[in-house]
Amino acid sequence: MAGEQDMSGWTDLLHSSTKLLEQAAPSAQFPPLQRNLDQLEALSKKLKAKTIRTETPSQSIAATRYL
């Protein structure tokens, strides 16, 4: 059945991720981070805001002419 195969896939994924967490011991260089979904959303919006360029069309045209 497809349902049993889906559950098997999820179980395998859970097992793999648990194993990966066990292998990744925290170190002084890379301390563990724990964020909830709201924090991740806020941080991603903040990062996106930093990367958006608010360039006017005239600046873009002038830069293209220069090149």
Side-chain angles (χ1 to χ4, degrees):
M1 292 184 146
E4 289 177 11
Q5 290 176 346
D6 290 342
M7 287 303 293
S8 175
W10 284 111
T11 304
D12 291 344
L13 181 62
L14 177 62
H15 180 67
S16 298
S17 62
T18 304
K19 205 178 206 183
L20 184 61
L21 283 172
E22 290 171 359
Q23 292 174 355
S27 67
Q29 185 180 7
F30 301 108
L33 293 177
Q34 292 186 355
R35 304 267 193 251
N36 65 31
L37 291 177
D38 292 333
Q39 290 173 323
L40 288 175
E41 182 181 15
L43 290 170
S44 65
K45 286 180 179 180
K46 194 175 186 180
L47 184 59
K48 183 180 177 184
K50 286 182 181 180
T51 60
I52 293 176
R53 294 184 182 159
T54 54
E55 187 176 86
T56 61
S58 62
Q59 289 175 327
S60 180
I61 292 170
T64 304
R65 285 185 194 147
Y66 178 75
L67 292 175

